[in-house]
Amino acid sequence: MYAPIFPPMIGGPATQCFHLCNMLLKGGDEPVVLTIGDRFECASPDGYRVYRYPWRYTRTPIDKAIRWVVFPWYFLSVVKREKPDVIHCHAVSALSFVAGALSRRKRIPSVIKFAGDWVWETFSTRRLRARDFDDLYRRSFLARLLWRVERRGLKRFAMIWAPSKFREENVRRVMGDVDNVRVIYNALDLPPGGLREMRPGDPFVVVSASRFIPHKRIPVIVRAFAALQDPHARLVLIGSGTNEQVGIAKAAVAEAGVGRQVTFLGKLDSLREADKLYGAFKQASVYVSASLEEGFPNVFVEAMHFGLPIVSTDVGGCREIVTDGRTGFLVDPADETGFARRLKELKENTERRNEMAEAAVEQSKRFELAAVLGQFKSLYAEAIRRTLSTQ
């Protein structure tokens, strides 16, 4: 497994890879992880080997160039030592493309997870210049150039794992009508969750967890919360970003006049701190997302597992998790008024919220890792067959 982030770091790719490794180990397989760290090391804190290589060397821009030298060398040294049957890259990135090219040269079957389009992520994280995938393609020559690089990189892999049907469509937009894409929903092995039944008069607690980047639209969440006009309601924002983006979020809170009701929990940097996330879910009434783009947000599954209805923009793979009107509400991303109205509806109708909470817990069971582990093993077997057939 090549994972750009892995516990103790926390995040969607880290959580998914960690849970998958643990489940494979229980099933008799032998996962090995390559990820970043503070130094070169190999440890086995969870019963399988985790190799780490430094991400920072001089703490200057030259580090990026150093990584281009260190990563291929270290990747090949781990491959030589471990002799893997399959190499699985857990993100679309430049270094994943390097891993794919080296795997192909060594004739090792390989799989890549298309969790998000590399080009869209590159542009939207730094500055939002387009409404969606198509708009970016039409408007940006650089985006079209990077998509060519992405296409070449993806071709190095025997199989492509898309965690949602929406992401499968993204792959086909980049690659054309290829036959090596398989949809396997993100699945997790979560601690006990369950329902928190609300009663009329209970404080209404809204929670959201994401990076503070433009397309997540934290100010939209703040404005919808402020529209509740309930001095006893609370908003918990989990995550962080650049000083600029955090400043934008805090300015939105100040402008809405809800500073005393909003808690910024900050970024969760380690797996141990996941308890803070789950603790917030256990105390919350509803989970919200105003994002302009989502592939398959793991955090929705986690929130539903703890009995939270979801109020989200209807984008990407969100509708593959949330059943509109049953486990939450999906709203057009341009309809801020509708977003606030749905949030208010769940606040004022406790019985409806409780019904949705119960349905959310039940629906979250579809994404339990034990239920889909066989699909991953089939994916690996197909990668092996395809690679052998070309030799």
Side-chain angles (χ1 to χ4, degrees), residues 152-221:
R152 290 177 65 88
L154 291 173
K155 285 182 178 179
R156 300 297 181 263
F157 292 86
M159 297 298 297
I160 301 172
W161 162 32
S164 65
K165 293 177 181 177
F166 170 71
R167 284 297 183 223
E168 181 186 27
E169 293 174 4
N170 288 169
V171 174
R172 298 191 188 283
R173 299 297 290 274
V174 175
M175 301 289 291
D177 190 19
V178 293
D179 65 352
N180 66 333
V181 187
R182 299 293 179 268
V183 176
I184 304 175
Y185 287 128
N186 275 343
L188 304 171
D189 184 21
L190 295 171
L195 294 168
R196 184 177 78 87
E197 184 175 352
M198 281 192 65
R199 294 170 295 182
D202 284 350
F204 191 70
V205 181
V206 181
V207 65
S208 185
S210 71
R211 291 175 294 166
F212 284 28
I213 54 178
H215 79 259
K216 297 294 185 179
R217 303 199 303 172
I218 305 299
V220 173
I221 294 173

Side-chain angles (χ1 to χ4, degrees), residues 7 13 31 33 45 75 87 97 103 122 152 182 204 253 276 281-282 291 295 321 337 368 382:
V33 177
F75 176 84
I87 290 172
F97 298 155
S103 302
T122 298
R152 290 177 65 88
R182 299 293 179 268
F204 191 70
V253 170
K276 291 184 181 179
F281 286 171
K282 289 177 181 178
S291 180
I321 309 174
T337 301
E368 292 179 354
E382 189 168 358

Side-chain angles (χ1 to χ4, degrees), residues 111-132:
V111 172
I112 189 168
K113 179 183 181 181
F114 195 96
D117 178 68
W118 175 55
V119 182
W120 168 264
E121 286 281 333
T122 298
F123 278 81
S124 62
T125 300
R126 296 177 182 176
R127 55 192 181 279
L128 191 63
R129 289 185 176 274
R131 294 186 304 274
D132 53 28

Side-chain angles (χ1 to χ4, degrees), residues 90-104:
H90 277 263
V92 177
S93 68
L95 292 183
S96 291
F97 298 155
V98 172
L102 294 173
S103 302
R104 187 170 183 176

Side-chain angles (χ1 to χ4, degrees), residues 197-377:
E197 184 175 352
M198 281 192 65
R199 294 170 295 182
D202 284 350
F204 191 70
V205 181
V206 181
V207 65
S208 185
S210 71
R211 291 175 294 166
F212 284 28
I213 54 178
H215 79 259
K216 297 294 185 179
R217 303 199 303 172
I218 305 299
V220 173
I221 294 173
V222 172
R223 290 193 289 271
F225 173 77
L228 295 176
Q229 296 183 331
D230 179 355
H232 302 292
R234 292 189 293 115
L235 172 62
V236 179
L237 296 173
I238 304 172
S240 189
T242 64
N243 290 337
E244 179 187 6
Q245 290 301 316
V246 172
I248 289 172
K250 290 185 175 180
V253 170
E255 184 177 349
V258 290
R260 294 185 177 181
Q261 298 171 252
V262 180
T263 300
F264 287 85
L265 279 190
K267 181 180 179 182
L268 304 183
D269 289 315
S270 72
L271 192 63
R272 296 188 201 90
E273 291 187 282
D275 290 342
K276 291 184 181 179
L277 177 69
Y278 298 150
F281 286 171
K282 289 177 181 178
Q283 299 299 317
S285 311
V286 62
Y287 183 91
V288 297
S289 169
S291 180
L292 288 177
E293 202 268 359
E294 291 290 345
F296 188 94
N298 282 346
V299 70
F300 282 22
V301 176
E302 293 172 296
M304 290 166 64
H305 177 73
F306 285 93
L308 297 185
I310 309 293
V311 177
S312 170
T313 43
D314 187 7
V315 295
C318 293
R319 61 173 49 245
E320 297 177 54
I321 309 174
V322 179
T323 301
D324 187 35
R326 183 171 179 269
T327 62
F329 292 117
L330 296 172
V331 184
D332 187 291
D335 187 7
E336 284 196 36
T337 301
F339 189 89
R341 184 174 64 250
R342 288 303 195 184
L343 189 60
K344 190 171 185 177
E345 181 177 339
L346 289 180
K347 173 187 172 296
E348 295 180 346
N349 191 333
T350 304
E351 183 179 353
R352 182 77 186 277
R353 194 224 74 101
N354 288 338
E355 289 173 355
M356 283 190 165
E358 187 174 348
V361 171
E362 189 63 30
Q363 185 137 312
S364 72
K365 295 177 182 178
R366 293 179 52 204
F367 309 108
E368 292 179 354
L369 188 52
V372 302
L373 184 62
Q375 296 179 49
F376 284 103
K377 293 194 175 187

